[in-house]
Amino acid sequence: MLYGRSAEVAALDRLISQARDGAGAALVLRGEAGVGKTALLDLAASRGGGMRVLRTTGVEAEADLGFAALHQLLWPVLGLLDSLPDPQRDAVRGGLGLAAASSGDRFLLAAGVLSLLAEAAAPDGLVCVIDDFQWVDRASADALLFAARRLGTERIAMLLAVRGDAQVKGVPSVAVGGLAEAAAGELLDGTVPIAAPVRRELIAQTRGNPLALRETVRLLTPEQLAGREPLPDPLPGGAQLFGEQVAALSGPARQVALLAAVESDLDLVLRAAGELGAGRAGLSELEAAGLAGVSGPNVRFRHPLIRSAVYETATPAARRHAHATLATAALATALTPADATPGGTGPGGTGPADSGPGGAGLGDGVVGDRWAWHLAGAALGQDEVVAAALAAAAERARDRGGFGAAATALIRAAELTPAALTRAERLKDAAVSAWLGGSPGQAESLLAEAGEHVGGDTTLTMEIAQLRGRFELNSGNAAEAVRILAAGESLSMLADASEAASYVGDTAAMAEIGRRAAAFPEGFLRDVVTGIGTLVDNTGEDGGGTPGVGRGRPGAGGGRDDGYGLLRRALERAGELTEAAELLWAAAAASYLGEGDLAVEFAGRAGRVARVSGMTGQLPVVLEFVATAERLAGRLAESRAVSEEGLELAREAGYRNTVAAHLANLAVVAALRGEEESCRRHAQEALTIAVPHRVGLRAGVAAYALAMLDLSLGRYAAAHDRFLAIVSAGPGAGHPTVVWRTTPDRIEAAVGTGDLAAARAALEAYERWSVHASTAESRALIARCRGLVADHETAAPGTRPRPHHEESAFAEFEEALRLHANPFEAARTALLLGERLRRAHRPGEARAHLRTALEAFQRAGAGPWARRAHDELRAAGESTQAPRGSALDGLTPQELRIAGLVADGLSSKEIAAQLILSPRTVEYHLYKIYPKVGVGTRTELARLVVLQKAPVAPQDKL
């Protein structure tokens, strides 16, 4: 019977009802111990009707065992694993110890958990209940919270009960307080007779806590309850509340209780109790006293405070002895053949191949996590044997994606390690695990502590320095990252330093790093780092900071030893590349060759590899480049969807500079779509991070977004001023990549405002920079820029263009259209050519180009550009309706991505693997897509997408 909980019950009913209708969500019940959170969870589990119920409870004794809670929660539905996309299935199986770990990527594993819960919710929905979430192991908690924040399209109600101030980010909460006086009075009315003044005093002193009220009443004498004797001051609480009941147990029962207080696994508790002569009789006495009971393969106390009372009333020596006995029992279990193990290898077993409910198991024939942690609990002082066992447990957790659990194990292992150098190594490894687990602050503290113990070991010193640099690059000061990493002597560290310098825009550092990298043997990474450094060895004198265009620039001949030759040689190996990181270096090489379209292709490949192979937490970083690639290819909706995904993951991981990258890209996309408020907001948020963190690349992109907003809306003068600031002043000013990539837009703005000198200077720099670019798209952009400048060469201010200049401009635009491979850039060129043909009184020719541009801009969702093309088309004499959206315009970015993958022929499972979704979520989105676009099948949807997105071939544009 629940008293006074109408508001809480109403909230639970709303959550369950919405989930049943397909609008899943999660809710946290927050309150002190004994306030009634578990009772509310029990009620919720009973109110779902036909909805399946999965539940688990965090156990303090298992808080360091990776995936313990998740295993218990998911064990009843593991038979559904084969319904998941292969990468997610393998990640979940590896995480739970059911198979060898595949990737160790926590995002893949968390996506697999969400997919498995979605499968378990069919057909009637799912109520997922997690009690004592504050004690759920870190690996399980990360995966569950990832799922909890993504339940919007699932038929899942997730409830988390948490004590005190434990943080549960991103999930709404309901405070569960003590009962009001009337409700508390009703509760007490069902116990024993209590005088009214005593009842009021009890309610006040316990603050209406239901458990405290019930248990305190049991401990008071009839005289105290009747008011004839004063109440104890203070009232019994915590250990006092259950201390007398624990003390009343027999010796064997107390031994079993203490074993259960430090280990929940039933088999281990019974095995250890047998060693102590306590046996099953002690457990039976605990059950008879109502203090604990058997729940599946585990021993559970009726309330966490009972466990606290058992633990607190035991002496330190008794606790250590309990841990030592359990360690012996765990070792014996691990060495027992599976068919002779009492628990077997199925649910509840603890044999060598098992990791059944209640823990992480002892897996794969090795002495496992429980043995290691109990050894640590029994240790007095430092002990290398115990430390090594914990380090091995950490490695197993890390291989399965449990980075938080790995960090915890390594921290304790370091405490137990006698040798200073080994301690430093373990602290360094703990820092890496904490970083990959989304705790950058803890990672930096651990790394600093590791540095205190490193002594004179130069190798470890450099490893720690490299990690410090990587941490700074992802979340801190990028200029500091350059300083730290440039001190390294390995190629790997120099490559990281070059990457950091490119983020800052420090061309001098890039050049120096390139010279140092040249001393290493020839290879892909060496060639890229050296080639980039060689290209930027002399900053140009064009006023724009464009690399590689100044005096004495190496590589004028294009030989194998110059920058261009080195990068070209590196890209000749591109077909051999399989890792996402390698593909991103290939993208950088292509970019510095002036071949932006090839860079886009490599970034896209890196994203596809990262999604299915696992990047140990680096997926948000890879998605920076994927989102940029989608945007540069003119796929604005896809770019926005990727950045929104990357932004969410980066915030979860604590990668501040990656957050800035995704915000800056979202700002550019918003600019191209004419969404002024969104553009300014995202740009400002990006600058707030990027400027103080010295991430010049991201600051430059955010500034570019504001310039493109003005250009998109036809505000040429304002756009020109902003582009000039990108070159020589303002946030991210002079960053070579931003300067180079924005040059075509800078030229268009300069021409639009009449600053032909600036346009010519920018074109000259752009031609020098792109002299070795060989892709068709790179040559198309140069031709368009030449056309813009030639079109506005005049004999005198205010006069018409000279005829030969006009024809030259038309020829350049036509050449650009012939070469363009990017539909969005082709549309911009077609618009420019159409405008100039109309101005030259050739409206018939103009209309074909303007019509092509209008259709392409409509497909891309670039509203301002479509309106400009429409206005020009009307001025050219074609009666046409205002720009209208395509059938795909009503889709959300996520829906548009799914529709595009359907058009590519992917199944729902394959789409789910690409987008880190569940297959059922993909099907849900398809169910929403069909009526929006007026189709009824995947085939019809694919045909529509192909027709809407297919670029017009150059020969068909006239």
Side-chain angles (χ1 to χ4, degrees):
M1 180 66 183
L2 290 179
Y3 300 94
R5 297 298 187 197
S6 57
E8 292 90 339
V9 171
L12 298 181
D13 284 343
R14 282 195 301 272
L15 183 78
I16 292 170
S17 175
Q18 291 169 0
R20 190 184 292 113
D21 293 337
L27 184 67
V28 174
L29 301 180
R30 184 184 299 280
E32 65 183 9
V35 79
K37 302 185 298 296
T38 301
L40 287 167
L41 293 181
D42 291 341
L43 180 70
S46 70
R47 293 174 85 90
M51 299 173 77
R52 174 178 276 173
V53 177
L54 295 176
R55 67 186 306 163
T56 189
T57 299
V59 180
E60 192 172 6
E62 296 177 350
D64 297 325
L65 296 175
F67 301 107
L70 198 62
H71 206 308
Q72 184 184 50
L73 180 77
L74 299 180
W75 186 261
V77 295
L78 290 183
L80 301 174
L81 275 173
D82 286 341
S83 302
L84 273 57
D86 291 351
Q88 295 180 14
R89 180 202 63 206
D90 294 344
V92 174
R93 289 178 62 84
L96 300 184
L98 303 175
S102 56
S103 68
D105 187 274
R106 69 189 185 100
F107 290 127
L108 264 183
L109 186 145
V113 169
L114 175 60
S115 293
L116 187 56
L117 292 176
E119 291 297 325
D124 299 316
L126 172 68
V127 179
C128 190
V129 174
I130 301 102
D131 203 354
D132 283 327
F133 188 76
Q134 74 279 354
W135 287 328
V136 166
D137 61 276
R138 174 68 183 278
S140 296
D142 286 346
L144 289 169
L145 288 178
F146 181 97
R149 291 187 282 265
R150 292 165 174 81
L151 297 177
T153 61
E154 310 294 351
R155 304 182 70 186
I156 300 172
M158 183 179 289
L159 286 160
L160 315 170
V162 63
R163 184 189 300 184
D165 298 325
Q167 295 299 308
V168 185
K169 293 189 295 185
V171 181
S173 65
V174 169
V176 182
L179 299 177
E181 183 173 350
E186 288 184 68
L187 181 148
L188 290 176
D189 286 342
T191 56
V192 295
I194 307 173
V198 174
R199 183 167 65 175
R200 286 194 296 271
E201 181 67 17
L202 286 174
I203 293 171
Q205 290 202 36
T206 60
R207 292 176 297 184
N209 185 296
L211 178 68
L213 283 169
R214 288 194 182 96
E215 296 300 329
T216 301
V217 166
R218 293 180 60 208
L219 296 174
L220 298 178
T221 67
E223 288 75 15
Q224 290 170 328
L225 291 171
R228 293 188 290 271
E229 292 183 3
L231 294 174
D233 186 18
L235 290 175
Q240 285 182 297
L241 197 62
F242 297 100
E244 290 188 15
Q245 296 175 63
V246 172
L249 296 171
S250 67
R254 282 200 304 275
Q255 286 182 322
V256 174
L258 181 56
L259 292 170
V262 297
E263 172 59 66
S264 68
D265 185 272
L266 174 62
D267 182 66
L268 286 184
V269 168
L270 290 178
R271 193 185 288 265
E275 294 291 326
L276 297 175
R280 295 177 178 271
L283 179 59
S284 298
E285 186 178 340
L286 274 180
E287 291 181 296
L291 296 177
V294 174
S295 175
N298 300 304
V299 182
R300 300 288 191 204
F301 288 98
R302 177 165 57 85
H303 193 276
L305 289 179
I306 301 175
R307 178 188 177 275
S308 299
V310 171
Y311 195 79
E312 291 169 12
T313 55
T315 65
R319 296 172 198 162
R320 289 193 298 272
H321 185 55
H323 279 296
T325 307
L326 285 162
T328 301
L331 178 58
T333 300
L335 298 178
T336 302
D339 57 2
T341 303
T345 56
T350 52
D354 173 66
S355 54
L362 301 172
D364 298 330
V366 298
V367 177
D369 301 355
R370 293 176 181 273
W371 174 75
W373 278 106
H374 286 307
L375 279 183
L380 271 175
Q382 293 178 328
D383 188 320
E384 176 56 29
V385 171
V386 181
L390 278 176
E395 184 175 357
R396 289 192 292 275
R398 187 172 56 241
D399 289 345
R400 288 148 47 207
F403 296 106
T408 302
L410 285 164
I411 292 168
R412 179 62 176 137
E415 293 172 354
L416 293 168
T417 302
L421 191 60
T422 307
R423 187 181 314 129
E425 182 79 31
R426 286 169 179 160
L427 287 167
K428 180 262 295 181
D429 291 344
V432 173
S433 290
W435 179 264
L436 295 175
S439 299
Q442 181 189 34
E444 291 168 6
S445 298
L446 288 168
L447 212 55
E449 186 179 353
E452 296 172 3
H453 300 285
V454 75
D457 188 284
T458 56
T459 300
L460 186 54
T461 298
M462 284 296 100
E463 287 183 31
I464 290 173
Q466 186 170 13
L467 288 170
R468 284 182 56 218
R470 292 301 309 180
F471 293 174
E472 285 287 348
L473 181 57
N474 278 341
S475 285
N477 187 311
E480 177 66 7
V482 176
R483 187 191 67 79
I484 294 169
L485 293 165
E489 298 180 357
S490 68
L491 179 60
S492 171
M493 201 161 172
L494 289 177
D496 285 349
S498 178
E499 180 184 354
S502 73
Y503 274 71
V504 176
D506 188 343
T507 54
M510 294 167 70
E512 173 60 25
I513 292 163
R515 285 192 288 271
R516 293 170 59 194
F520 288 85
E522 177 187 326
F524 171 77
L525 185 58
R526 176 263 189 192
D527 285 354
V528 174
V529 175
T530 304
I532 291 174
T534 303
L535 282 184
V536 301
D537 202 5
N538 287 289
T539 299
E541 297 178 338
D542 63 331
T546 305
V549 297
R551 294 174 302 171
R553 174 178 55 81
R560 281 298 193 184
D561 293 330
D562 72 358
Y564 292 109
L566 288 168
L567 294 180
R568 192 65 67 192
R569 180 168 66 191
L571 290 183
E572 287 171 0
R573 301 187 180 97
E576 306 166 9
L577 305 180
T578 58
E579 300 293 328
E582 295 174 327
L583 290 165
L584 290 179
W585 276 111
S591 183
Y592 276 90
L593 283 172
E595 298 177 354
D597 51 333
L598 187 58
V600 166
E601 180 184 331
F602 282 124
R605 284 176 57 190
R608 291 189 291 274
V609 169
R611 287 185 182 279
V612 299
S613 65
M615 284 290 290
T616 57
Q618 293 302 301
L619 182 58
V621 179
V622 177
L623 292 182
E624 293 180 30
F625 301 92
V626 176
T628 300
E630 293 285 6
R631 189 242 304 162
L632 292 174
R635 295 185 286 268
L636 304 185
E638 291 88 340
S639 178
R640 183 171 66 177
V642 172
S643 265
E644 286 174 349
E645 176 189 9
L647 179 62
E648 187 175 19
L649 294 177
R651 282 175 168 156
E652 287 187 2
Y655 296 174
R656 291 277 289 157
N657 294 341
T658 299
V659 167
H662 288 296
L663 287 169
N665 186 66
L666 286 169
V668 180
V669 170
L672 294 172
R673 293 171 62 89
E675 298 165 352
E676 187 159 2
E677 188 279 330
S678 178
C679 172
R680 295 188 186 282
R681 173 167 45 84
H682 287 314
Q684 187 55 51
E685 289 179 33
L687 290 169
T688 300
I689 299 170
V691 171
H693 286 204
R694 299 286 301 279
V695 191
L697 176 60
R698 302 313 174 196
V701 173
Y704 169 65
L706 296 173
M708 280 306 293
L709 177 66
D710 287 328
L711 183 62
S712 297
L713 297 174
R715 301 191 292 240
Y716 291 105
H720 183 46
D721 289 344
R722 289 191 184 276
F723 279 120
L724 290 178
I726 288 173
V727 172
S728 57
H735 191 286
T737 300
V738 179
V739 169
W740 165 63
R741 282 199 182 276
T742 62
T743 301
D745 305 303
R746 179 156 47 110
I747 292 170
E748 185 173 342
V751 167
T753 201
D755 189 348
L756 300 183
R760 282 193 294 268
L763 174 59
E764 290 170 7
Y766 194 56
E767 287 177 322
R768 291 196 300 271
W769 173 251
S770 304
V771 67
H772 289 283
S774 62
T775 62
E777 185 63 28
S778 62
R779 288 183 284 129
L781 289 174
I782 293 172
R784 183 173 84 197
C785 292
R786 287 171 179 161
L788 276 165
V789 174
D791 180 55
H792 281 72
E793 293 286 357
T794 58
T799 63
R800 275 184 52 106
R802 297 173 182 174
H804 68 278
H805 284 300
E806 192 173 72
E807 292 303 322
S808 173
F810 292 161
E812 293 287 0
F813 286 128
E814 294 285 4
E815 174 67 3
L817 286 176
R818 186 184 67 81
L819 292 169
H820 271 306
N822 182 319
F824 188 78
E825 294 299 336
R828 290 184 62 182
T829 300
L831 173 60
L832 291 168
L833 177 55
E835 288 174 335
R836 280 139 185 83
L837 286 168
R838 184 189 66 78
R839 185 186 60 194
H841 308 294
R842 294 157 66 173
E845 296 173 64
R847 285 195 292 269
H849 293 294
L850 294 171
R851 197 178 305 116
T852 296
L854 174 60
E855 293 170 357
F857 290 140
Q858 287 178 320
R859 285 194 296 268
W865 302 88
R867 287 191 293 274
R868 179 172 153 190
H870 168 261
D871 292 344
E872 285 289 331
L873 196 55
R874 290 190 58 139
E878 181 165 310
S879 177
T880 181
Q881 296 180 346
R884 61 184 186 279
S886 74
L888 302 178
D889 285 350
L891 302 183
T892 67
Q894 186 77 289
E895 289 171 346
L896 188 58
R897 295 172 75 199
I898 290 172
L901 292 172
V902 167
D904 290 340
L906 274 64
S907 68
S908 291
K909 285 180 69 171
E910 290 168 332
I911 295 171
Q914 283 282 324
L915 303 184
I916 315 186
L917 300 172
S918 74
R920 289 191 179 274
T921 299
V922 173
E923 290 294 335
Y924 169 84
H925 282 301
L926 286 172
Y927 174 77
K928 303 284 281 187
I929 289 169
Y930 291 157
K932 283 186 177 183
V933 299
V935 301
T937 67
R938 295 173 77 101
T939 302
E940 292 174 346
L941 176 62
R943 185 182 302 115
L944 176 65
V945 172
V946 170
L947 290 175
Q948 290 286 334
K949 292 191 170 291
V952 180
Q955 63 268 23
D956 296 332
K957 291 177 180 175
L958 293 177

